[in-house]
Amino acid sequence: MPIIEVKKLTKIFGPDAKRAIPLLNDGWSKEKILKETKLTVGVNQASFSIEEGQIFVIMGLSGSGKSTLVRLLNRLIEPTGGEVLFNGDNVLKMSTEKLRRFRRKNIGMVFQKFALFPHRTVVQNVEYGMEVQGMSKAERHQKAMTSLELVGLKGWEDSYPDQLSGGMQQRVGLARGLANDPDILLMDEAFSALDPLIRKDMQDELLELQSKMKKTIVFITHDLDEALRIGDQIALMKDGSIVQIGSPEEILMQPANKYVERFVEDVDLSKVLTASHIMRKPETITLERGPRVALQLMRDRGVSNLYVVDKGKKLIGVISAEDASQAIKDNQTLESIIQRELPSVSPETLLHELFEIISTTRLPVAVIDEDQRLQGIIIKGAVLAALAGNTIPEAGA
């Protein structure tokens, strides 16, 4: 079951707002509803699900409805219609007390504005929400210190906000959001106010933090590069509606309409796509086979190289048709002709990091995992095809 499931979630601003829902069902546009009823559609029947441990990015231009949508999830803004299910429990039907517990225990929030109290120390700022909830001084202090250590601010707890850089202040905001160890963290344009270099550092920090904590994060941004960099899934919004949901690769390579195409047309694919997206299935052989079998396999499969692996799929090396032919003449074993030094990368290697490797080798590049198992190979043409926006072959296909 998804941790969050959203069904036809809608927000319409104005008096007697529910009267616009049938109009949305009839296909009226945001502009037509405003003109005819003076009501403003903030979010138009959004539906999506978020898996536990996922970074789900909601993105769009200013006025697209993304910040309204994230505030509907914890009812900071009351929805006009639809459902928000948290582990199957409808947030929209929660009593005031149950909603308060939900916000306190299950869902945290980090805003674009740091909103730190200048007269409070860093640790006192992180403790503030827990203090308001009536948590004991010892418990909230312990939770705040743990949270500060998570975001790399151990040793700064007694400093004041004006002694910190912008990036450090945002880390305090992040620590405050994490202090209660919520199941879900909502981040609304959390890095938008930061300088580009600090912003990239914070993105790295978030990904590093996520690798340790496996939080479910709903991240709001207007920056496509940021969305592509950190998102497991991206929901792209326009005029209050979600126009496409997909992985970064799906958004880039299979845009749902002209609007999405225009949105992604200037993205540098080499800094988004990885080796895993363009690798192809390698032709392999194990050591106990001889050079005659190897040569026949190459002829049958129309390839000039075979990758030698052990029974656990660990990469040993590569052999060429030319070397196999010579080995037959010289009565050599397969092991004696293996080229053990060959270019290899991890599945996460970005395309732009492959350019130099591919330009200096005549062999396809091997893609190996952390256990040295062969996952695929990359040929020069696959890189060029991917950068041109052509279809990417599936791994193993």
mmCIF file with all atom_site columns, all heavy atoms in Angstrom, residues 317-329:
data_model
loop_
_atom_site.group_PDB
_atom_site.id
_atom_site.type_symbol
_atom_site.label_atom_id
_atom_site.label_alt_id
_atom_site.label_comp_id
_atom_site.label_asym_id
_atom_site.label_entity_id
_atom_site.label_seq_id
_atom_site.pdbx_PDB_ins_code
_atom_site.Cartn_x
_atom_site.Cartn_y
_atom_site.Cartn_z
_atom_site.occupancy
_atom_site.B_iso_or_equiv
_atom_site.pdbx_formal_charge
_atom_site.auth_seq_id
_atom_site.auth_comp_id
_atom_site.auth_asym_id
_atom_site.auth_atom_id
_atom_site.pdbx_PDB_model_num
ATOM 1  N N   . GLY A 1 317 ? 36.875 -10.502 -17.878 1.00 0.00 ? 317 GLY A N   1
ATOM 2  C CA  . GLY A 1 317 ? 37.553 -9.787  -18.957 1.00 0.00 ? 317 GLY A CA  1
ATOM 3  C C   . GLY A 1 317 ? 36.783 -9.912  -20.252 1.00 0.00 ? 317 GLY A C   1
ATOM 4  O O   . GLY A 1 317 ? 35.600 -10.244 -20.260 1.00 0.00 ? 317 GLY A O   1
ATOM 5  N N   . VAL A 1 318 ? 37.476 -9.682  -21.362 1.00 0.00 ? 318 VAL A N   1
ATOM 6  C CA  . VAL A 1 318 ? 36.842 -9.724  -22.674 1.00 0.00 ? 318 VAL A CA  1
ATOM 7  C C   . VAL A 1 318 ? 37.773 -10.430 -23.651 1.00 0.00 ? 318 VAL A C   1
ATOM 8  O O   . VAL A 1 318 ? 39.009 -10.394 -23.504 1.00 0.00 ? 318 VAL A O   1
ATOM 9  C CB  . VAL A 1 318 ? 36.517 -8.284  -23.160 1.00 0.00 ? 318 VAL A CB  1
ATOM 10 C CG1 . VAL A 1 318 ? 37.784 -7.479  -23.401 1.00 0.00 ? 318 VAL A CG1 1
ATOM 11 C CG2 . VAL A 1 318 ? 35.639 -8.301  -24.405 1.00 0.00 ? 318 VAL A CG2 1
ATOM 12 N N   . ILE A 1 319 ? 37.166 -11.114 -24.639 1.00 0.00 ? 319 ILE A N   1
ATOM 13 C CA  . ILE A 1 319 ? 37.975 -11.724 -25.706 1.00 0.00 ? 319 ILE A CA  1
ATOM 14 C C   . ILE A 1 319 ? 37.439 -11.248 -27.044 1.00 0.00 ? 319 ILE A C   1
ATOM 15 O O   . ILE A 1 319 ? 36.250 -10.993 -27.203 1.00 0.00 ? 319 ILE A O   1
ATOM 16 C CB  . ILE A 1 319 ? 37.949 -13.272 -25.648 1.00 0.00 ? 319 ILE A CB  1
ATOM 17 C CG1 . ILE A 1 319 ? 36.518 -13.792 -25.727 1.00 0.00 ? 319 ILE A CG1 1
ATOM 18 C CG2 . ILE A 1 319 ? 38.640 -13.784 -24.395 1.00 0.00 ? 319 ILE A CG2 1
ATOM 19 C CD1 . ILE A 1 319 ? 36.433 -15.296 -25.871 1.00 0.00 ? 319 ILE A CD1 1
ATOM 20 N N   . SER A 1 320 ? 38.326 -11.136 -28.009 1.00 0.00 ? 320 SER A N   1
ATOM 21 C CA  . SER A 1 320 ? 37.938 -10.688 -29.350 1.00 0.00 ? 320 SER A CA  1
ATOM 22 C C   . SER A 1 320 ? 37.935 -11.861 -30.303 1.00 0.00 ? 320 SER A C   1
ATOM 23 O O   . SER A 1 320 ? 38.560 -12.904 -30.054 1.00 0.00 ? 320 SER A O   1
ATOM 24 C CB  . SER A 1 320 ? 38.912 -9.621  -29.853 1.00 0.00 ? 320 SER A CB  1
ATOM 25 O OG  . SER A 1 320 ? 40.188 -10.191 -30.093 1.00 0.00 ? 320 SER A OG  1
ATOM 26 N N   . ALA A 1 321 ? 37.263 -11.706 -31.432 1.00 0.00 ? 321 ALA A N   1
ATOM 27 C CA  . ALA A 1 321 ? 37.228 -12.751 -32.465 1.00 0.00 ? 321 ALA A CA  1
ATOM 28 C C   . ALA A 1 321 ? 38.636 -13.010 -33.003 1.00 0.00 ? 321 ALA A C   1
ATOM 29 O O   . ALA A 1 321 ? 39.028 -14.163 -33.240 1.00 0.00 ? 321 ALA A O   1
ATOM 30 C CB  . ALA A 1 321 ? 36.292 -12.321 -33.588 1.00 0.00 ? 321 ALA A CB  1
ATOM 31 N N   . GLU A 1 322 ? 39.401 -11.945 -33.163 1.00 0.00 ? 322 GLU A N   1
ATOM 32 C CA  . GLU A 1 322 ? 40.772 -12.075 -33.679 1.00 0.00 ? 322 GLU A CA  1
ATOM 33 C C   . GLU A 1 322 ? 41.626 -12.917 -32.735 1.00 0.00 ? 322 GLU A C   1
ATOM 34 O O   . GLU A 1 322 ? 42.347 -13.825 -33.175 1.00 0.00 ? 322 GLU A O   1
ATOM 35 C CB  . GLU A 1 322 ? 41.377 -10.678 -33.826 1.00 0.00 ? 322 GLU A CB  1
ATOM 36 C CG  . GLU A 1 322 ? 42.762 -10.665 -34.443 1.00 0.00 ? 322 GLU A CG  1
ATOM 37 C CD  . GLU A 1 322 ? 43.304 -9.253  -34.560 1.00 0.00 ? 322 GLU A CD  1
ATOM 38 O OE1 . GLU A 1 322 ? 42.545 -8.279  -34.401 1.00 0.00 ? 322 GLU A OE1 1
ATOM 39 O OE2 . GLU A 1 322 ? 44.527 -9.128  -34.799 1.00 0.00 ? 322 GLU A OE2 1
ATOM 40 N N   . ASP A 1 323 ? 41.518 -12.645 -31.420 1.00 0.00 ? 323 ASP A N   1
ATOM 41 C CA  . ASP A 1 323 ? 42.303 -13.407 -30.446 1.00 0.00 ? 323 ASP A CA  1
ATOM 42 C C   . ASP A 1 323 ? 41.835 -14.852 -30.368 1.00 0.00 ? 323 ASP A C   1
ATOM 43 O O   . ASP A 1 323 ? 42.648 -15.767 -30.182 1.00 0.00 ? 323 ASP A O   1
ATOM 44 C CB  . ASP A 1 323 ? 42.195 -12.753 -29.060 1.00 0.00 ? 323 ASP A CB  1
ATOM 45 C CG  . ASP A 1 323 ? 42.951 -11.436 -28.976 1.00 0.00 ? 323 ASP A CG  1
ATOM 46 O OD1 . ASP A 1 323 ? 43.851 -11.220 -29.817 1.00 0.00 ? 323 ASP A OD1 1
ATOM 47 O OD2 . ASP A 1 323 ? 42.636 -10.623 -28.086 1.00 0.00 ? 323 ASP A OD2 1
ATOM 48 N N   . ALA A 1 324 ? 40.516 -15.074 -30.493 1.00 0.00 ? 324 ALA A N   1
ATOM 49 C CA  . ALA A 1 324 ? 39.994 -16.445 -30.454 1.00 0.00 ? 324 ALA A CA  1
ATOM 50 C C   . ALA A 1 324 ? 40.508 -17.249 -31.643 1.00 0.00 ? 324 ALA A C   1
ATOM 51 O O   . ALA A 1 324 ? 40.885 -18.422 -31.503 1.00 0.00 ? 324 ALA A O   1
ATOM 52 C CB  . ALA A 1 324 ? 38.468 -16.420 -30.442 1.00 0.00 ? 324 ALA A CB  1
ATOM 53 N N   . SER A 1 325 ? 40.548 -16.630 -32.836 1.00 0.00 ? 325 SER A N   1
ATOM 54 C CA  . SER A 1 325 ? 41.070 -17.302 -34.036 1.00 0.00 ? 325 SER A CA  1
ATOM 55 C C   . SER A 1 325 ? 42.529 -17.670 -33.854 1.00 0.00 ? 325 SER A C   1
ATOM 56 O O   . SER A 1 325 ? 42.963 -18.790 -34.195 1.00 0.00 ? 325 SER A O   1
ATOM 57 C CB  . SER A 1 325 ? 40.930 -16.385 -35.257 1.00 0.00 ? 325 SER A CB  1
ATOM 58 O OG  . SER A 1 325 ? 39.583 -16.150 -35.554 1.00 0.00 ? 325 SER A OG  1
ATOM 59 N N   . GLN A 1 326 ? 43.305 -16.738 -33.306 1.00 0.00 ? 326 GLN A N   1
ATOM 60 C CA  . GLN A 1 326 ? 44.735 -17.012 -33.093 1.00 0.00 ? 326 GLN A CA  1
ATOM 61 C C   . GLN A 1 326 ? 44.930 -18.108 -32.059 1.00 0.00 ? 326 GLN A C   1
ATOM 62 O O   . GLN A 1 326 ? 45.825 -18.955 -32.190 1.00 0.00 ? 326 GLN A O   1
ATOM 63 C CB  . GLN A 1 326 ? 45.432 -15.716 -32.645 1.00 0.00 ? 326 GLN A CB  1
ATOM 64 C CG  . GLN A 1 326 ? 46.948 -15.786 -32.635 1.00 0.00 ? 326 GLN A CG  1
ATOM 65 C CD  . GLN A 1 326 ? 47.512 -16.066 -34.029 1.00 0.00 ? 326 GLN A CD  1
ATOM 66 O OE1 . GLN A 1 326 ? 47.106 -15.444 -35.014 1.00 0.00 ? 326 GLN A OE1 1
ATOM 67 N NE2 . GLN A 1 326 ? 48.425 -17.031 -34.117 1.00 0.00 ? 326 GLN A NE2 1
ATOM 68 N N   . ALA A 1 327 ? 44.073 -18.136 -31.025 1.00 0.00 ? 327 ALA A N   1
ATOM 69 C CA  . ALA A 1 327 ? 44.187 -19.153 -29.973 1.00 0.00 ? 327 ALA A CA  1
ATOM 70 C C   . ALA A 1 327 ? 43.934 -20.554 -30.522 1.00 0.00 ? 327 ALA A C   1
ATOM 71 O O   . ALA A 1 327 ? 44.570 -21.524 -30.100 1.00 0.00 ? 327 ALA A O   1
ATOM 72 C CB  . ALA A 1 327 ? 43.207 -18.846 -28.851 1.00 0.00 ? 327 ALA A CB  1
ATOM 73 N N   . ILE A 1 328 ? 43.003 -20.635 -31.485 1.00 0.00 ? 328 ILE A N   1
ATOM 74 C CA  . ILE A 1 328 ? 42.723 -21.937 -32.122 1.00 0.00 ? 328 ILE A CA  1
ATOM 75 C C   . ILE A 1 328 ? 43.955 -22.418 -32.876 1.00 0.00 ? 328 ILE A C   1
ATOM 76 O O   . ILE A 1 328 ? 44.356 -23.579 -32.772 1.00 0.00 ? 328 ILE A O   1
ATOM 77 C CB  . ILE A 1 328 ? 41.497 -21.827 -33.053 1.00 0.00 ? 328 ILE A CB  1
ATOM 78 C CG1 . ILE A 1 328 ? 40.238 -21.547 -32.231 1.00 0.00 ? 328 ILE A CG1 1
ATOM 79 C CG2 . ILE A 1 328 ? 41.331 -23.101 -33.869 1.00 0.00 ? 328 ILE A CG2 1
ATOM 80 C CD1 . ILE A 1 328 ? 39.030 -21.142 -33.073 1.00 0.00 ? 328 ILE A CD1 1
ATOM 81 N N   . LYS A 1 329 ? 44.573 -21.518 -33.611 1.00 0.00 ? 329 LYS A N   1
ATOM 82 C CA  . LYS A 1 329 ? 45.781 -21.873 -34.373 1.00 0.00 ? 329 LYS A CA  1
ATOM 83 C C   . LYS A 1 329 ? 46.922 -22.287 -33.447 1.00 0.00 ? 329 LYS A C   1
ATOM 84 O O   . LYS A 1 329 ? 47.686 -23.211 -33.746 1.00 0.00 ? 329 LYS A O   1
ATOM 85 C CB  . LYS A 1 329 ? 46.225 -20.681 -35.220 1.00 0.00 ? 329 LYS A CB  1
ATOM 86 C CG  . LYS A 1 329 ? 45.296 -20.347 -36.370 1.00 0.00 ? 329 LYS A CG  1
ATOM 87 C CD  . LYS A 1 329 ? 45.785 -19.099 -37.096 1.00 0.00 ? 329 LYS A CD  1
ATOM 88 C CE  . LYS A 1 329 ? 44.781 -18.669 -38.173 1.00 0.00 ? 329 LYS A CE  1
ATOM 89 N NZ  . LYS A 1 329 ? 45.168 -17.387 -38.806 1.00 0.00 ? 329 LYS A NZ  1
#
